Amino acid sequence: MQDYVYVDSRTTLQPLLEQYRQSELLVLDTEFVRTRTYYARLGLIQAYDGKTLALIDPVAIDDLSGFWQLLTAPNITKVLHSCSEDLEVFAHDGGIQPAPLLDSQIAAGLAGNGHGLGYAKLVQQYLGVALDKGESRTDWIRRPLTMSQLSYAANDVLYLYQLFPELKQTLEQQGRYQWALEESARMTKGRLTPPVREQAYLKVKNAFQLSSTELAVLRQLAAWRLDKAMKKDLALGFVMKDHALIALAKKQPRTINDIMRLKDLTDQEKRFYAKDMVNLINKVDFSSLPDPVDVLALKPAYKNAFKTLKGRLEQIATDTAVPMELLGSKRHINEYLGWYWNDKSGDTPLLLQGWRGQLVADALAKLPV
């Protein structure tokens, strides 16, 4: 195990950041806790430039602005593994997204190592090192952290730094390194934009089942739930479950007694929010109704069109050794079909952009869908 430094003050952080600013490569990871909260609670930041492996304590340091600025430095490639949740943390705590960025899980997929390769398997495959994942359920907010926890955290950047050159070389030989950078950068898009409360209802499960009138109620309720979740830092489901919102939108109770008779809400939901629900439902503006949620899969031509596209994409995935999940997931196919059936209006679907477009555009243009 290589030595690491534990950074728990601005005094020790500043010279470290000055050193890192001179680097071309910085490997990063974060440890956080997220059980009932809307936002992840950041517990530790790991960073390694090949010279100094640092474990930075965001619980102890009250000003990380210099570190956040470092993550946008254009001369430093930031490397993380499976970084979607890390990007959420960077957006909320730092108000930034790292750039340029390379996600090693994406890079491994494009290099022909399969989809969703975990960090431990990646290290085993490239370096022959078996990692101990025994601290994966650590409470990273509690202090002090043990030596075992700190060693576990340090390993998450130590070995990624070691294997990165080989992974990069493989991609460059295949002409795919820029693909990996492009796909990694795409993961950062939109993360600094706050959720639109008026559109929160579109993410409620089974919203497609509702009529326009019912959707007007759901729109009001879902916006309220989002506001409450963000204000109280509670996961959406711990404010009110999706199925409860759907039931309220369908039944539209007008009094607290009506709420209390509903079997779809928990006793806690009734006790805390019955008054809010009644007020919200009684104030719904039915003069401006949302459009019904368009479910692509309900269209008569959908099944055959989806099968046709999926089959062609699977063949391309096999021929190019790019995982199907990365090349053309169900979401990608649905986005393409929605665009195609809407007279190709609106934003160009992801399947036709960038490296995906290079691989599939010609083939899709020849397909009858």
Side-chain angles (χ1 to χ4, degrees):
M1 174 63 211
Q2 178 165 322
D3 291 339
Y4 56 81
V5 295
Y6 191 80
V7 181
D8 59 0
S9 71
R10 280 188 279 178
T11 302
T12 52
L13 178 62
Q14 188 58 37
L16 177 71
L17 297 182
E18 291 175 4
Q19 174 188 316
Y20 282 169
R21 289 190 188 101
Q22 308 308 312
S23 304
E24 295 182 357
L25 177 67
L26 186 63
V27 177
L28 298 163
D29 191 27
T30 66
E31 306 295 346
F32 51 85
V33 175
R34 189 178 200 171
T35 51
R36 296 174 57 91
T37 58
Y38 185 82
Y39 301 106
R41 298 177 64 198
L42 181 59
L44 196 68
I45 301 169
Q46 303 99 291
Y48 187 35
D49 66 345
K51 298 177 181 178
T52 302
L53 196 161
L55 304 181
I56 302 169
D57 188 343
V59 177
I61 303 174
D62 59 2
D63 182 6
L64 287 170
S65 57
F67 176 78
W68 302 129
Q69 292 170 11
L70 176 74
L71 299 195
T72 61
N75 61 300
I76 309 170
T77 299
K78 276 66 70 170
V79 178
L80 296 97
H81 185 81
S82 186
C83 66
S84 180
E85 291 182 305
D86 302 288
L87 296 180
E88 286 187 42
V89 170
F90 295 154
H92 177 251
D93 287 53
I96 60 91
Q97 289 290 274
L101 168 69
L102 187 127
D103 185 317
S104 54
Q105 187 176 71
I106 289 173
L110 290 173
N113 294 297
H115 175 67
L117 193 65
Y119 178 66
K121 290 185 178 179
L122 186 67
V123 170
Q124 177 72 51
Q125 183 169 318
Y126 275 82
L127 303 177
V129 175
L131 292 179
D132 178 8
K133 303 299 287 183
E135 299 292 346
S136 58
R137 295 187 179 275
T138 285
D139 180 354
W140 293 102
I141 303 300
R142 172 181 273 184
R143 294 296 184 269
L145 295 170
T146 67
M147 293 300 295
S148 175
Q149 291 164 344
L150 295 174
S151 294
Y152 165 89
N155 283 341
D156 280 348
V157 290
L158 172 63
Y159 295 113
L160 185 52
Y161 186 92
Q162 293 179 13
L163 67 84
F164 174 74
E166 185 176 345
L167 182 60
K168 180 181 179 182
Q169 182 181 36
T170 300
L171 287 167
E172 288 180 333
Q173 289 171 348
Q174 297 171 330
R176 295 182 179 184
Y177 183 63
Q178 290 302 317
W179 293 9
L181 291 173
E182 173 193 321
E183 188 66 13
S184 300
R186 190 186 64 79
M187 293 181 64
T188 69
K189 303 302 182 185
R191 290 186 183 271
L192 299 181
T193 304
V196 180
R197 61 188 306 278
E198 292 80 12
Q199 296 178 5
Y201 75 100
L202 295 171
K203 295 187 177 181
V204 177
K205 186 178 180 180
N206 294 325
F208 73 92
Q209 297 175 349
L210 304 185
S211 67
S212 292
T213 301
E214 293 166 342
L215 284 173
V217 178
L218 183 66
R219 179 172 59 186
Q220 189 98 325
L221 297 176
W224 164 87
R225 182 179 68 166
L226 178 61
D227 290 342
K228 188 74 69 176
M230 295 176 71
K231 182 177 180 180
K232 291 193 169 188
D233 193 16
L234 272 177
L236 291 173
F238 285 105
V239 176
M240 188 168 287
K241 304 292 186 185
D242 278 9
H243 69 83
L245 295 183
I246 295 292
L248 288 166
K250 287 181 176 180
K251 298 176 181 178
Q252 301 181 23
R254 301 290 177 165
T255 68
I256 290 179
N257 285 336
D258 291 339
I259 296 276
M260 293 303 176
R261 286 193 289 267
L262 289 179
K263 297 180 180 180
D264 307 275
L265 276 66
T266 65
D267 290 341
Q268 178 174 296
E269 289 169 340
K270 293 175 183 178
R271 184 168 63 253
F272 287 169
Y273 303 127
K275 186 176 180 179
D276 286 348
M277 294 300 98
V278 169
N279 289 337
L280 286 165
I281 292 170
N282 284 325
K283 291 179 180 178
V284 173
D285 179 10
F286 291 104
S287 65
S288 178
L289 299 179
D291 294 329
V293 177
D294 183 18
V295 181
L296 203 67
L298 298 180
K299 295 183 180 295
Y302 173 79
K303 187 175 181 180
N304 286 336
F306 183 90
K307 182 178 179 180
T308 300
L309 259 67
K310 183 180 179 183
R312 187 66 191 99
L313 291 172
E314 285 176 337
Q315 185 60 56
I316 295 172
T318 299
D319 294 343
T320 59
V322 174
M324 177 64 180
E325 297 89 346
L326 188 57
L327 175 66
S329 66
K330 182 177 180 179
R331 178 174 61 83
H332 295 144
I333 296 174
N334 284 344
E335 180 189 49
Y336 177 86
L337 287 174
W339 169 82
Y340 186 88
W341 286 334
N342 195 34
D343 296 324
K344 300 183 179 180
S345 64
D347 295 337
T348 302
L350 197 61
L351 275 176
L352 299 182
Q353 296 180 30
W355 64 270
R356 288 185 180 86
Q358 294 178 41
L359 293 181
V360 310
D362 290 343
L364 294 191
K366 301 172 183 176
L367 289 178
V369 295

